[in-house]
Amino acid sequence: MGIVAGLDSSSAFTRIVVCDADTGSVLRQGYAPHPVEAKATEIDPQVWLLSLGEAAAGGLLEGVQAIGVSAQQHGLLTLDAQGNLVRPALLGNDRRAQAAAADLIDALGGRQAWAEAVGSVPQSAQPVAKLRWLARSEPESAQRVASVMQPHDWLVWQLLGRPARRTTDRGGASGTGFWSAGSGSYRHDLVELALGHQCALPEVLGPADAAGTTPEGLLISAGTGETMAAAFGLGVGVGDAVVSLGASGSVMAVHHDALADPSGMITSFADATGMHLPVVHTLNAVRALRGTAELLGLEDLDELSALAMKSTPGSSGLVMLPYLEGERTPQLPHTAGTLSGLRRESMRPEHLARAAFEGMLCSLADAMDVLRGRGVEVRRVFLLGGAAELPAVQAAAPAIFGAQVVVPQPADYAAVGAARQAAWALGVSQGTLSRAAPPAWQGAAVGVAPGLSTGTFEAGEQIVPSEEERAVGQAVRQQYGATRDQIHPGAFNPTS
């Protein structure tokens, strides 16, 4: 069918992959960093274009027929009536809108009202909270806002030459706080509640729609957020969950329906295929491992993993609740972490090391149970992040999650997902693909690992727990859950 490209503009860099449109095979790749501080909360979006140009240098896009765009989520670009930026873009890591988010929750009548309206409860990262912050903190700027966009919307618009039509997709829209994945429509009243007046919002395109063509004739697909693009690139489907191991953690799964969760633990995203991606976040994941490594005087997580492998499941009764930064799941924003079960025989470095891994994974299993408690099927788990390759994670995760675990081959899955979306839109435009089914590119999982005993596996293999290992995992979770409920009674009930 041809050649397509996917570009991922993350918070720190731009990656581009050029792929065969029929098979998904990566033909060429490009990369360029963004010249900004790592913890910047505002940015001139022109740096994204400069980085894109650098990543595409050397004829990288030669022969490409269509481009898909993935970008960091929850950024907000505010434009005036002439289409010029009112102020620098606000990024997802900007926490100044925490008070604004709380104000919005109260203004609509509470968390349940928001969950029913748009499938999520306002957080500081969301554009709806940023609009409220802007109205309160920079009222003169807020009054000039005539339209709003997110990073991938803006990049698509720039690639198309800034046409009058401005677009987004379901995935990006579902993260705004003013578009409902359940109804598939904007809540303009929530924009006015936040900003103080109405403004223009991008047209929401379908998964296989094209946003337009460039002056040079390149087709540009709808684009989407990084989370949705990565899921699309991985090839996950119903029954699959993706566990992301960053400093904080998240569990998302493919589901047929949008979920309204009054507790606010579930954020109901739309995916890049027409399905839904409910997500549950934890505030603590790899940060608990790094803290433990520092406490034990270890150089890195590889040493912590090797030490943990000298212990046994259950860590000799030692339990770590890894709530070091407070916690979001369960909702304990002001709590601290806990180390429980200290006995003379458990006070050994290897048991503390393993307790850190088991605590992190049990916390994420709690998050997964929030989804399972709402009818989300989880048969297979994809582990993402550098920590996913640690033997201690691979040894414990299948038993604790009670599911097959896949550690995908290292790849730029968000960029691959963007390229796959471009191939879909290109195929529909050429009449070779249906809007009902994306191109059948090979997903991330290949093969099945022979066993779990050593904790060493090849990337891309599926790690399948035996019945005995599932029972061990259940025992570890019971020990963790008993400690959690004793210290924080009533804080966590995934089926409520």
Side-chain angles (χ1 to χ4, degrees):
M1 184 168 61
I3 300 174
V4 296
L7 70 88
D8 174 37
S9 180
S10 77
S11 58
F13 53 77
T14 297
R15 292 191 189 275
I16 301 177
V17 296
V18 177
C19 301
D20 181 283
D22 293 316
T23 66
S25 297
V26 176
L27 307 176
R28 301 187 292 273
Q29 300 183 58
Y31 169 86
H34 293 170
V36 294
E37 296 181 9
K39 295 185 178 180
T41 58
E42 299 185 5
I43 193 172
D44 179 352
Q46 291 295 328
V47 304
W48 301 335
L49 294 179
L50 293 173
S51 176
L52 195 165
E54 184 178 345
L60 184 77
L61 298 180
E62 184 177 348
V64 166
Q65 296 170 269
I67 298 176
V69 177
S70 159
Q72 58 182 299
Q73 291 170 237
H74 299 317
L76 176 68
L77 294 97
T78 50
L79 308 180
D80 63 18
Q82 288 72 45
N84 300 315
L85 286 168
V86 170
R87 65 177 323 285
L90 294 167
L91 302 182
N93 63 343
D94 188 348
R95 296 188 177 182
R96 289 177 292 179
Q98 285 180 329
D103 288 345
L104 285 171
I105 293 171
D106 292 339
L108 195 64
R111 305 175 72 86
Q112 183 168 352
W114 278 96
E116 292 174 352
V118 291
S120 64
V121 178
Q123 304 284 338
S124 61
Q126 289 180 304
V128 70
K130 288 178 168 58
L131 287 176
R132 180 76 158 197
W133 175 85
L134 189 66
R136 296 291 186 266
S137 303
E138 301 178 7
E140 293 183 1
S141 293
Q143 290 172 6
R144 294 173 53 210
V145 175
S147 62
V148 296
M149 307 179 86
Q150 291 190 90
H152 95 258
D153 309 335
W154 188 83
L155 285 167
V156 166
W157 186 54
Q158 296 293 323
L159 290 173
L160 292 173
R162 296 166 57 101
R165 182 195 189 206
R166 297 168 187 166
T167 63
T168 188
D169 85 306
R170 297 171 65 254
S174 65
T176 61
F178 45 78
W179 185 85
S180 168
S183 66
S185 60
Y186 281 118
R187 286 289 301 264
H188 294 276
D189 58 318
L190 299 183
V191 176
E192 186 169 358
L193 180 67
L195 184 60
H197 62 86
Q198 292 287 348
C199 67
L201 304 174
E203 176 187 347
V204 181
L205 301 179
D209 290 342
T213 56
T214 70
E216 298 78 23
L218 275 174
L219 183 143
I220 308 295
S221 62
T224 194
E226 277 189 312
T227 297
M228 301 78 190
F232 197 37
L234 282 165
V236 296
V238 173
D240 291 332
V242 179
V243 173
S244 179
L245 300 176
S248 56
S250 67
V251 181
M252 67 178 177
V254 180
H255 195 53
H256 293 287
D257 303 311
L259 299 178
D261 175 31
S263 74
M265 286 192 286
I266 298 175
T267 299
S268 191
F269 288 135
D271 79 346
T273 72
M275 299 282 282
H276 296 271
L277 276 179
V279 182
V280 179
H281 296 273
T282 68
L283 293 182
N284 303 275
V286 175
R287 61 165 44 99
L289 302 183
R290 296 198 183 282
T292 304
E294 291 171 4
L295 179 65
L296 291 171
L298 303 177
E299 292 292 330
D300 54 34
L301 296 186
D302 289 323
E303 288 190 10
L304 184 70
S305 175
L307 184 61
M309 293 297 287
K310 296 178 181 179
S311 182
T312 55
S315 307
S316 191
L318 207 57
V319 175
M320 179 184 290
L321 302 183
Y323 305 156
L324 306 186
E325 299 289 329
E327 191 45 79
R328 182 172 170 182
T329 307
Q331 292 171 5
L332 298 167
H334 306 299
T335 193
T338 302
L339 190 62
S340 179
L342 286 170
R343 299 180 184 274
R344 181 64 187 87
E345 60 270 21
S346 66
M347 296 177 68
R348 297 183 61 84
E350 63 266 29
H351 300 321
L352 176 56
R354 186 165 187 113
F357 283 97
E358 290 181 343
M360 176 188 73
L361 293 170
C362 283
S363 175
L364 289 162
D366 280 351
M368 193 177 296
D369 279 352
V370 173
L371 296 176
R372 283 172 162 157
R374 294 297 306 278
V376 177
E377 184 181 9
V378 178
R379 296 190 305 271
R380 184 171 61 165
V381 176
F382 289 75
L383 282 181
L384 296 186
E389 299 180 10
L390 295 172
V393 170
Q394 296 184 3
I400 289 175
F401 292 146
Q404 296 179 18
V405 168
V406 178
V407 181
Q409 296 280 0
D412 301 320
Y413 286 108
V416 170
R420 191 179 180 201
Q421 185 193 68
W424 195 2
L426 179 64
V428 168
S429 72
Q430 295 176 338
T432 58
L433 288 176
S434 165
R435 292 183 181 274
W441 289 9
Q442 180 177 339
V446 289
V448 178
L452 287 170
S453 58
T454 65
T456 56
F457 311 98
E458 295 298 322
E461 291 182 329
Q462 296 186 37
I463 308 167
V464 185
S466 67
E467 290 302 316
E468 179 181 353
E469 286 156 341
R470 287 176 188 267
V472 169
Q474 289 175 357
V476 171
R477 289 207 61 196
Q478 287 171 357
Q479 176 179 267
Y480 176 91
T483 302
R484 179 201 64 216
D485 294 341
Q486 180 182 14
I487 296 172
H488 303 289
F492 186 85
N493 184 354
T495 60
S496 64

